[in-house]
Amino acid sequence: GFHGGLDLRSKVPEPVYAIHDGYIEIRDKPSSTAGKHIVVTQEPEVEPAESGEDETGVYVWNPSGKERKTQGIKTKYMHLSSFDVVDGQFVNAGEQIGMSGRTGRYKKDGVWMNVKPHLHIELYVKATKDSKYKIENPEKMLSRAGISMVRV
């Protein structure tokens, strides 16, 4: 279920695809709670408003399935076994970015445990230029990207 993101069942290794365009940030921390993970960030291009149109935006689908304009989206793909991209690279939606895995750990009854094979994905949305990113349920973005959701 949604607990700051979604846990999706995954074989290891299995390809992981970006659900939106954006720039890659690699976080290679296998022993952290997130393990090896990738952040993909897409923010509007900053251009002079010569056309008289509204400010640029990045579109996202909210849980009801309606599209809305935002000022940025980020997704985090956690517990990866490997990366197929490099830091700073631009990727398009649907492009393979890594392979699923079981890196990372969590604490249970005071003991650190290794995660089971799965992909944890989080979506963050920035409503206005001056606001901070806030976490949202990524379910609609995943279904729009054609990713089947078999939850853990």
Side-chain angles (χ1 to χ4, degrees), residues 32-126:
S32 70
T33 53
K36 292 180 158 200
H37 61 288
I38 290 174
V39 179
V40 179
T41 302
Q42 181 183 20
E43 292 183 339
E45 297 294 327
V46 180
E47 296 178 8
E50 296 174 7
S51 64
E53 293 180 17
D54 290 342
E55 61 188 49
T56 59
V58 176
Y59 289 87
V60 66
W61 289 272
N62 60 17
S64 67
K66 293 188 178 175
E67 186 179 52
R68 73 180 194 281
K69 185 162 63 170
T70 72
Q71 289 302 303
I73 54 177
K74 284 185 184 189
T75 46
K76 291 183 182 179
Y77 306 82
M78 301 179 189
H79 310 306
L80 303 177
S81 61
S82 63
F83 307 117
D84 293 329
V85 290
V86 295
D87 211 37
Q89 178 180 340
F90 182 83
V91 295
N92 293 303
E95 195 169 327
Q96 185 172 325
I97 56 174
M99 298 296 279
S100 65
R102 53 174 297 163
T103 61
R105 55 194 193 142
Y106 64 98
K107 210 171 212 180
K108 181 178 180 182
D109 300 324
V111 178
W112 284 102
M113 311 286 288
N114 291 326
V115 299
K116 292 189 163 92
H118 74 286
L119 172 67
H120 179 89
I121 187 166
E122 296 179 352
L123 169 68
Y124 295 84
V125 177
K126 185 173 164 180

